[in-house]
Amino acid sequence: MRTGIETNFAKTFLLAISQVQNFSKPLIIAAIAGKENVVFCNLYDAETKTRIRSEWNRDADWLGIIDSVQTKLQTSINPHIVSDEAILF
């Protein structure tokens, strides 16, 4: 899947993934059609099938959210190492 950082899909994904505390559990990423050529992202806990909800904020600090998610991912991948090196995905 490819998306640009300025798309509604990427932004709704980032808002939802920022709510996740435990990245060792499986997640479901769902593309949801909007009007015309708009696609949104819903994120679900794969075990409970519960949607991970986040409030839409057009003016969110996107770089701050990305940094926070990368830090959480890095910590969950190797909890003994914490550095400022970005995780690319």
Side-chain angles (χ1 to χ4, degrees):
M1 179 182 321
R2 295 180 87 179
T3 186
I5 192 63
E6 292 296 323
T7 64
N8 287 325
F9 181 87
K11 289 179 177 180
T12 52
F13 172 78
L14 286 170
L15 288 169
I17 201 76
S18 70
Q19 302 300 310
V20 175
Q21 298 301 315
N22 183 353
F23 286 99
S24 67
K25 295 183 177 184
L27 299 169
I28 298 170
I29 301 170
I32 307 301
K35 293 182 180 179
E36 295 184 27
N37 62 348
V38 176
V39 178
F40 297 98
C41 177
N42 283 349
L43 192 64
Y44 297 87
D45 178 313
E47 293 174 351
T48 65
K49 307 296 189 266
T50 304
R51 182 174 167 204
I52 298 169
R53 297 197 175 271
S54 59
E55 189 168 328
W56 174 249
N57 179 357
R58 174 183 293 145
D59 301 317
D61 175 12
W62 301 111
L63 290 178
I65 291 171
I66 291 167
D67 286 342
S68 173
V69 169
Q70 286 179 327
T71 299
K72 288 181 196 177
L73 281 169
Q74 188 171 22
T75 302
S76 70
I77 290 169
N78 191 342
H80 305 294
I81 298 175
V82 177
S83 72
D84 293 330
E85 185 177 330
I87 297 172
L88 302 176
F89 56 94

